Amino acid sequence: MSNVDRDKIKRAVRDILEAIGENPDREGLIDTPDRVARMYEEIFSGIHEDPKDHLKVLFQDEKHEEMVVVKDISFYSCCEHHLVPFFGKAHIAYIPKGGKLTGLSKLARVIETLAKKPQLQERITKDAADIIMKELEPYGVVVVVEAEHMCMTMRGVKKPGSKTVTSAVRGIFEKDISSRSEALSLINMR
């Protein structure tokens, strides 16, 4: 059951179309309010999910205490300032403590859940690192997010292709320069 009020979205989209001088009853726009309502239900589904829930699946018998890196996790989000998309890739490195591992796809799901709401890139980065630290209790975690923001591409400064890079460093990576360098090297390896 969705918590999204599709009818309210449809009315709002129709109002927007009229406000910009369009005819919402013309052939190409008749179904647009419904399409937008269904799209919003999908792209904002993270509002009603808790990203921590994805880290409940653990593999504690592996005794692996070496760095784990999942990189190039594609994501799409919507800037909360302009309600236009930003998209890119997230990279996560962590060092499990006591062999407390999670499924690799679970890390990607944390990013996906955080991204599926009106959002800021900086918040996705910080929240992902904090959630992984709290739930997995690793020695440390590094999260790097790089994205292109359509609010900089289609409007305002109009600079297509420019990327914003944010990072969050927690635990051992804050103090141990060699561990941080190794993580960033693995993330940047192409």
Side-chain angles (χ1 to χ4, degrees):
M1 177 70 183
S2 172
N3 294 327
V4 172
D5 186 339
R6 282 192 194 175
D7 289 333
K8 193 170 189 176
I9 294 170
K10 289 192 271 189
R11 288 190 303 272
V13 170
R14 185 174 175 85
D15 285 348
I16 289 170
L17 290 170
E18 288 174 351
I20 64 170
E22 262 293 358
N23 173 7
D25 294 318
R26 75 172 171 82
E27 182 181 11
L29 293 176
I30 281 181
D31 294 326
T32 297
D34 184 58
R35 284 191 291 267
V36 171
R38 286 183 281 121
M39 176 189 69
Y40 278 5
E41 184 174 31
E42 180 180 342
I43 68 173
F44 295 135
S45 63
I47 291 171
H48 308 290
E49 291 183 41
D50 188 341
K52 292 183 292 218
D53 292 344
H54 299 297
L55 298 178
K56 300 296 182 208
V57 175
L58 298 173
F59 308 103
Q60 299 187 56
D61 295 334
E62 294 305 317
K63 306 302 178 225
H64 182 84
E65 290 194 345
E66 300 294 327
M67 194 176 309
V68 176
V69 179
V70 179
K71 59 189 216 173
D72 296 329
I73 302 167
S74 295
F75 74 91
Y76 303 88
S77 193
C78 197
C79 166
E80 69 181 34
H81 296 148
H82 300 100
L83 292 181
V84 294
F86 67 96
F87 56 93
K89 296 190 183 295
H91 317 282
I92 298 170
Y94 79 106
I95 300 175
K97 187 188 298 179
K100 196 172 177 183
L101 295 169
T102 190
L104 301 176
S105 68
K106 304 309 180 193
L107 296 171
R109 293 231 184 259
V110 167
I111 296 296
E112 180 179 272
T113 301
L114 288 169
K116 287 193 164 196
K117 59 180 77 179
Q119 195 53 282
L120 298 175
Q121 178 176 333
E122 296 88 344
R123 188 181 305 125
I124 292 172
T125 309
K126 175 195 164 306
D127 287 355
D130 290 343
I131 289 165
I132 292 165
M133 277 303 286
K134 185 173 189 289
E135 297 302 312
L136 298 183
E137 301 173 326
Y139 288 110
V141 64
V142 173
V143 177
V144 176
V145 177
E146 50 186 303
E148 183 171 349
H149 293 251
M150 297 308 288
C151 57
M152 281 185 56
T153 297
M154 354 176 356
R155 54 156 308 278
V157 72
K158 295 183 182 137
K159 296 296 177 206
S162 48
K163 296 271 191 321
T164 300
V165 179
T166 52
S167 67
V169 179
R170 303 288 186 268
I172 193 172
F173 294 113
E174 292 176 284
K175 295 180 178 82
D176 186 338
I177 302 299
S178 65
S179 292
R180 181 169 52 221
S181 294
E182 179 185 358
L184 294 175
S185 173
L186 291 169
I187 286 169
N188 289 319
M189 187 187 317
R190 295 288 171 216

